[in-house]
Amino acid sequence: ISAVQILIHRYGLLSIASITSFDYRYIMESRRQDPNIKTGLIMHRCLLPLDSCISLGIDAIVFEKNWITKNDIQILDASGIDSYAWTANSESDWHRMKSLGVTGIITDKPRALVNWLKE
């Protein structure tokens, strides 16, 4: 964690970088070491209840695309926490994520997503 944090600062990436993990313990340690670096928890619904995730003080939750609900997004928005979907690779995935109101989409097809967004 420290090595990644050093690189984030050395290369001036603080405004765009985020340390994310499936393991909340790494996120908590990152926040302890440097609370200025944004953090995100990558999760499946079954790992932690949403209210437990919010109580961690993280900046974002990264959901597997099939586990996101409109209610989750509304709760996160009200809590000031960003929401990301992974890995959404089809137009039907993108339509669903847009309708849910996620903050961002993680995809293996960034060029196709950009073109879709321009339509």
Side-chain angles (χ1 to χ4, degrees):
I1 294 170
S2 297
V4 172
Q5 291 174 334
I6 289 168
L7 291 172
I8 288 170
H9 286 287
R10 180 179 297 153
Y11 292 104
L13 301 173
L14 191 59
S15 65
I16 62 170
S18 172
I19 294 179
T20 61
S21 176
F22 282 102
D23 191 329
Y24 74 91
R25 295 170 296 183
Y26 290 115
I27 300 310
M28 300 312 296
E29 180 59 21
S30 178
R31 290 190 69 76
R32 187 191 67 74
Q33 289 183 25
D34 189 338
N36 296 312
I37 296 176
K38 292 180 181 177
T39 56
L41 180 65
I42 306 169
M43 65 171 282
H44 286 281
R45 167 75 61 203
C46 59
L47 292 180
L48 288 173
L50 194 56
D51 58 341
S52 295
C53 297
I54 292 168
S55 71
L56 295 174
I58 57 179
D59 300 294
I61 294 182
V62 183
F63 290 95
E64 197 280 330
K65 67 179 183 187
N66 295 318
W67 286 97
I68 304 172
T69 69
K70 184 73 168 175
N71 188 55
D72 292 337
I73 302 306
Q74 291 170 341
I75 292 168
L76 292 175
D77 286 348
S79 301
I81 297 174
D82 290 336
S83 56
Y84 295 89
W86 64 276
T87 302
N89 287 328
S90 69
E91 287 189 16
S92 62
D93 289 340
W94 303 334
H95 274 288
R96 181 170 177 266
M97 296 308 110
K98 187 175 179 182
S99 72
L100 292 175
V102 298
T103 306
I105 296 172
I106 299 169
T107 184
D108 294 324
K109 300 178 179 183
R111 186 168 295 154
L113 175 56
V114 168
N115 290 335
W116 180 81
L117 289 169
K118 289 179 181 177
E119 295 175 0

